[in-house]
Amino acid sequence: MAISLDGLELPQDLEWQDEFDWTPVASSSERGLTGKLLREEAPLVKGRPITLYGGPNACWVPRSLVQALKALEMIPGQTMALDYHGQLFTVCWNRSGSQSAIDAKPVMRIRNPGESHKYYITLRLMEVA
C-alpha cells in the first residue's frame, strides 16, 4: 500500500499523527434559567484533520517533491485526492491556526540544495467531502 496526494507519490511510512484525535460529534452544554442542564449533540459532517508527519529520522523526500507540494499549496480553494494506504479522502490544505500547511526541513543543511537533496515533511490536510 502507498500514500499519494493528487497523484504525487508520498513516502509510505508517513505517520497520520492525529488519526484518533478527532471526534465526529459536536456537543454543547449549558445551564438554563431553572438550573437544568441543556445539552445538544450533532454529528460533524467533515473537517477531520489529517496531519502526515515524516520526522528527521524517517520518510525523507527529495526537494523536487517539496517544490511540487508547495505548488499545490499555492492554489486557493483546491481540493485534492488523498489515498492513505487504501483509505480515500477528499482533502484541502489545513491553513487554520498559526502553522503552515506544509513544513519542510532539510535533513542536512547545505548552501545550494539540488533537486535530490533530502527533506523531512509535515503535511496538514483537512477532509472536506
Side-chain angles (χ1 to χ4, degrees):
M1 299 251 175
I3 304 173
S4 66
L5 179 64
D6 236 27
L8 296 174
E9 290 297 318
L10 302 174
Q12 63 181 336
D13 292 336
L14 283 174
E15 173 191 356
W16 183 353
Q17 283 191 317
D18 46 11
E19 182 175 9
F20 300 109
D21 294 346
W22 186 73
T23 179
V25 177
S27 68
S28 111
S29 301
E30 63 180 89
R31 298 276 176 192
L33 292 175
T34 63
K36 183 178 177 182
L37 180 65
L38 304 173
R39 183 172 163 86
E40 292 185 54
E41 289 190 338
L44 295 176
V45 178
K46 295 296 174 189
R48 180 181 192 173
I50 300 175
T51 304
L52 303 177
Y53 175 73
N57 299 316
C59 301
W60 298 348
V61 300
R63 180 180 173 86
S64 59
L65 179 58
V66 173
Q67 291 171 321
L69 290 166
K70 291 301 274 184
L72 280 177
E73 184 190 25
M74 292 174 63
I75 302 170
Q78 180 185 21
T79 60
M80 302 165 288
L82 172 67
D83 183 341
Y84 186 79
H85 300 295
Q87 298 178 73
L88 304 176
F89 302 95
T90 301
V91 298
C92 68
W93 295 109
N94 189 348
R95 294 178 167 87
S96 61
S98 61
Q99 296 178 321
S100 170
I102 299 174
D103 282 341
K105 307 279 189 252
V107 172
M108 184 176 71
R109 285 188 61 198
I110 61 173
R111 185 180 344 190
N112 188 17
E115 294 291 305
S116 62
H117 190 69
K118 300 297 182 199
Y119 287 73
Y120 62 96
I121 59 173
T122 300
L123 305 178
R124 293 180 188 84
L125 305 164
M126 181 186 316
E127 185 180 15
V128 292

